[in-house]
Amino acid sequence: MSAVEVTHLRRVYKITVGVVRRSAKEVVAVDDISFDVHPGELFGLLGPNGAGKTTTVKMLTTLLLPTAGSARILGYDVTHQPERIRPRIGFIFGGERGLYWRLSATDNLRYFASLYHVDPEVSRSRIPFLLEMVGLTGREKEKVEGYSRGMKQRLHVARTLLHDPEVLFLDEPTIGLDPVGARELRHVVQNLQLEGKTILLTTHYMFEADALCQRIAVINHGRIIALDTPEGLKRLVSDLSVVEVEVFGSAETVVDRVRALPTVEAVNIETLDQRQVLQVQSPQGSEIVPGILNALAGIRMGRVAVREPTLEDAYVRLVGGDK
Amino acid sequence: MNRELRGNLRAAVAAGEMALRSNVMDSFVLFGLLVQPLVIAVLALWMLQDRGDNYAIYVVVGSGLTGLWSTLLFVSGNGITAERWTGTLEWLTSVPTPLTWIILGKTVANVTQSLISMVAAYVLASLLFGYPLSVSQPILFLVSIVLMLLSFVAFGMLIAPAFVLNPDVQRWQNAMEFPVYILAGFLFPIALLPGWTTPISYLLAPYWAARALHITSSLQGGTTEILASWGMLLVLTGVYFLIARRLFRLTLRRARQDATLGVQ
């Protein structure tokens, strides 16, 4: 039996627009997605903002009802058996909300331990253990309002492990964290998987998905557009090379000229302070470099390099693959 | 006691403790609990001072009840809105403890704490105005207090689902405050109101609570009237709890459908 089974899951939000003439509008957030997560697997759901990741997680954690399709967690249906699922799962949504800021970390954990029906005897030993695990020992008596974002996020992790859940849903757990905080949190996630937890992780950080996940589903506009191992996804772009050109102040029209070059599959622009890095995917490898430099004539350029494609390039091809 | 019930009870107690802690830190609660009932008590005591000592206990009980209702309406309602703002409402609906138990724990704590309003009004009337305050039937008065607390908890549970379902309900709180003061006869008898409002008063548990407390504190009725008030209180409390249970079930399903739990 799969730990998570998602079958043709769909979620439509109804929103109203207009003040005087109000009309209802439907927004499809998740559009007929299916996937399984095996017990003990760390499964990634990768996609841009607004792709439907959080909506999917909210349906799987019983917070939202699906509009159509079904999902089962450890064999229980999310629509009809939420009370069976809740004691067996834990979840984190990225960000600082969801904690009582006026209380200390210990008081937050004590309260949630009661709500999760953790025996008081167990929670007395488990709370210090979890605080130690997430590196909050010594700060546990301070009010949460004084914590950094990373500390709050780690407290979220401790809270979600209070009842020792079998399946964890981590929705962009490292969002907004500094590099050190994000690395520490990834380490915690890795350890949880080593303990045998089934984890569904959503992220839009490629390296995070690549480093942590056994399989990744790429989701865009509510649909799963690829599902494979990180290596499998990278093979999608194994026929391509990536030319990286550092430019200063490139105009959209110039980038369009690069996009229009024959054999260019996709162009991704990464902005870094005053400069941009154009990442041009093409099967031609270094042979396309003169053409790119021609197209960029008149623009101040820096470093030019040709490299092997990464998971990020596979993602760019999948999500923004129409050049 | 089975494991689930024990867990739910423990969670309700923890939720009540949380409510008390946050109330202590909230100056708005102190206003609703102390300042507003005392202002009402002072005004009423001045206006009614010619009616004699017997009327003072009526005012004490009545202004205490206004504190109870305001606290129930605002603190319990705002509590749910605050949970939505801090993002904890979603969490509370996804834990093994049903939300009904969590809100029950908080409501019991809020209502019990609101008795402070009545004690404060008592102290004010006794010390500032020098009324010789005595409750005419203390034991029956205490029984009425317990039944009143139960009925207020049930009333709180009845209105809580609206706050869970819709963040905009908060705007209606002010409009709900005074009608209940008046229709429940907290400070003056409902006989002074137009006849068509009487059936509405009869459907409000706070009316029967106020009636039982007024009768047992100021000896303005006999045993039959007390028993009738208690009977109505118990019936309405039971009915409110049954409706609240159903409403919570419908509300939580609706909230999962409309995705309103996380709305700010």
Side-chain angles (χ1 to χ4, degrees), chain B residues 163-177:
Chain B
F163 286 91
V164 174
L165 188 63
N166 192 342
D168 295 334
V169 171
Q170 202 179 9
R171 294 177 196 165
W172 294 90
Q173 275 172 318
N174 288 319
M176 288 162 74
E177 191 180 17

Side-chain angles (χ1 to χ4, degrees), chain A residues 55-104:
Chain A
T55 301
T56 304
V57 171
K58 284 196 171 179
M59 286 191 280
L60 299 182
T61 51
T62 77
L63 292 172
L64 272 181
L65 284 173
T67 309
S70 69
R72 300 181 86 81
I73 312 295
L74 300 166
Y76 299 112
D77 185 86
V78 293
T79 305
H80 304 293
Q81 297 169 295
E83 67 290 343
R84 297 267 186 179
I85 295 172
R86 287 169 186 165
R88 294 171 170 84
I89 62 165
F91 63 86
I92 298 174
F93 290 109
E96 301 173 278
R97 299 172 76 239
L99 294 165
Y100 295 96
W101 286 25
R102 286 180 176 181
L103 299 184
S104 67

Side-chain angles (χ1 to χ4, degrees), chain A residues 11 62 78 97-98 100 115, chain B residues 83 85-86 90 97 256-257:
Chain A
R11 171 72 205 197
T62 77
V78 293
R97 299 172 76 239
Y100 295 96
L115 301 185
Chain B
E83 300 272 11
W85 274 75
T86 51
E90 277 191 325
T97 306
R256 286 176 73 200
Q257 241 161 24

